[in-house]
Amino acid sequence: MFHGRGGCTPSWRHLVVDWYPPLLHIISYADPGEPVIRELLSQIPGHVEAVLLQRRDLADTPMTLLRGELPQEIFAVEDGLRYALFFDRDRNVGFFPDMRVGRRLVRERAAERRILNLFAYTCGFSVAAIAGGASQVVNLDMNRNLLQVGRDNHRLNGHDLRRCSFLSHDLFKSFGKLRRIGPFDLVIIDPPGEQGESFQPHRHWPKLLQRLPELLAPEGEILAAVSSPHLGRRFLANQFETSLPTADLVESYTAGDDFPENDPDKGLHLLWFRNRNRNRNP
Ligand SMILES: C[S@@+](CC[C@H](N)C(=O)[O-])C[C@H]1O[C@@H](n2cnc3c(N)ncnc32)[C@H](O)[C@@H]1O
């Protein structure tokens, strides 16, 4: 509902509001202060049953229920697909609303394709891909619990789990295995901005892109995403130019009008590439 992080309303750049009926999820990256909370609550219509405030500026990003009760099960619903949400485990809730454009692209282009979903998290891309008729999706994430949520997300949508697999591995120790189960018609790459030793963008993007031809089918395609306050579209495009020059940029996308950005290089960027190299590396 509101994407203050984009900086288009500078005095509210610390605030994000997501609507998962019947729950309103307010995320604040600074202390909003009591008067603002009171004012916000007075403006939120009565049919909003529950209001949850998450303080992303504090350690452990605590959540406070400002109104109502937390429903036992909460789902994000997008294009007729359901995704389970959790508000008790992590700073993220299991679903990234701004990635809608990416899930739609994948769904539109998935039919009959073998897809590798790297950094799969709760398998949002995989759910969209199976809904779009993908023949197979391999999901890889080093966090086993998140992949379990991903399995549940497929069940929630009545999907045939035989068309999906779930590998809980560190990507950078798994290229041999992926190469054996490849090649893939489409590889989705949506890593974290930065995550300890597991993902450091300046070190790991080149590593990954240099190994990618081993995993791609002839004319294989790549959907790559960047979404970080520190890295932008330019960073991602440069990574491909330097480390995978055989990939041609086909199209690029942002998160769209619901997620306005003050700096056009920042926010979510999705780049779609086709790899010219017809031969997999020996
Ligand atoms: C930004 S989330 C991905 C979001 C997801 N693509 C989506 O659309 O919902 C990043 C994920 O990368 C995973 N991850 C980070 N480093 C990794 C690594 N070296 N190998 C495998 N997974 C990794 C994390 O566990 C996390 O689930």
Side-chain angles (χ1 to χ4, degrees), residues 3 97-102 227 253-261 266-270:
H3 176 64
D98 60 345
M99 195 49 92
R100 176 177 56 198
V101 62
S227 176
Y253 305 86
T254 63
D257 293 345
D258 283 345
F259 303 89
E261 290 291 331
K266 292 289 163 16
L268 174 66
H269 287 276
L270 286 158

Side-chain angles (χ1 to χ4, degrees), residues 88-101:
D88 54 357
R89 311 184 198 172
D90 188 20
R91 45 198 193 117
N92 295 315
V93 301
F95 183 77
F96 294 100
D98 60 345
M99 195 49 92
R100 176 177 56 198
V101 62

Side-chain angles (χ1 to χ4, degrees), residues 118-180:
L118 299 176
F119 308 98
Y121 189 58
T122 54
C123 305
F125 279 116
S126 181
V127 168
I130 293 294
S135 55
Q136 204 202 351
V137 184
V138 174
N139 293 289
L140 182 136
D141 198 288
M142 61 183 200
N143 186 323
R144 183 183 298 271
N145 295 334
L146 291 171
L147 289 176
Q148 190 53 46
V149 178
R151 252 190 213 96
D152 292 342
N153 277 334
H154 279 292
R155 287 196 192 100
L156 259 179
N157 291 285
H159 290 165
D160 180 356
L161 279 175
R162 287 170 303 184
R163 282 156 65 197
C164 325
S165 48
F166 305 87
L167 305 177
S168 51
H169 300 307
D170 183 328
L171 169 61
F172 298 93
K173 296 178 182 149
S174 309
F175 285 106
K177 187 177 179 99
L178 290 174
R179 186 180 148 75
R180 283 193 293 280

